Amino acid sequence: MDKGDINISLDRQIHIYSVDTGSFYTNKENKLHWKIHKLRKEKTDIGNKIKQLEKGLCQNENDLEYNNLIEIRSHKTKTINKIKDKLLNKLAKSVKYNNISSNKKVRQLSENAIIDKNIISVFESSLTRMLGLKDNDLSTDIFVIKVFYFDIIQDLILNGFVYQGERYRYFTSSAGQIRTKKTVFIKESLWNKYEKVLMCGLTMDEINRRGGINVNKYLAYLALSNSATDLWEDFDINKCIVVNDFETMVNGTVDFIDDTTYEIIRKKMDIPIEHTDGC
């Protein structure tokens, strides 16, 4: 096979929406959010004016306008912090109540978030092909949600959310998405339909029955279906064999981390290596 034959085509893209956790506020939470946003802007405006005064002729410490602005900024900072704490406390209480309530209220995705600037493109993958998405489709089958408020994302992961009458559930986060605080949600009806395909015939109950799995590994396996891939039309699965991985000891210089004290010691030692890990 030519090297060129194994290049993955990256010219086919599907469009989806990427929103943030603020798009799931209740009306009460949204009002608090915009109130603190307005105060932050006011603080920024005062700071900018102070910088202009410092650059101009009014740098004298006894200048009345300059000193007044410094004092106003100090008071505004206290007010902003106070309201921010109030917002976070209300969010935490709201989420905690929702999580323990027998009548859970599922959060709704705001229509205000479904705008052109929130559209992103993802490459064709086994997931998009399974969902029947075509090149340049704009889909609401899956959403990427950026995490700014951890209480909200916890609520969404535990209880899902609703958009246009459809329930959505947490699907996965790749290693890169975990680092950048992003999550992927999928329509619950589609998950129910394709769960066995995505999980290679397994279920979470079966995995737990067999002793469970590392959560990050579980998410990474699911995220593979969302990786850019081409369809291998002439692949004959009957000619495919699965070979067990093999491990040998390799000697080299490593940074050894003590799992109790977390002390890092650079030393030469034998370490076990999985030779085909990731292949």
Side-chain angles (χ1 to χ4, degrees), residues 4-50:
D5 293 334
I6 61 173
N7 286 337
I8 295 174
S9 176
L10 299 179
D11 59 350
R12 294 187 296 277
Q13 296 182 344
I14 290 86
H15 311 298
I16 62 173
Y17 289 96
S18 175
V19 300
D20 64 59
T21 41
S23 303
F24 299 89
Y25 278 142
T26 63
N27 290 335
K28 182 179 180 181
E29 293 163 352
N30 200 42
K31 288 177 182 177
L32 287 166
H33 169 79
W34 284 108
K35 187 174 182 180
I36 195 170
H37 174 75
K38 182 179 178 182
L39 287 170
R40 278 177 172 163
K41 185 178 182 304
E42 197 172 340
K43 176 185 173 183
T44 301
D45 291 343
I46 294 171
N48 290 337
K49 193 165 185 180
I50 289 173

Side-chain angles (χ1 to χ4, degrees), residues 210-225:
R210 293 170 178 261
I213 188 174
N214 177 284
V215 174
N216 282 344
K217 287 287 188 183
Y218 169 74
L219 295 179
Y221 288 136
L222 281 179
L224 286 175
S225 66

Side-chain angles (χ1 to χ4, degrees), residues 13-16 119-120 131-139:
Q13 296 182 344
I14 290 86
H15 311 298
I16 62 173
I119 295 175
I120 62 171
L131 298 178
L133 304 181
K134 305 299 182 184
D135 187 23
N136 286 323
D137 274 358
L138 176 57
S139 174

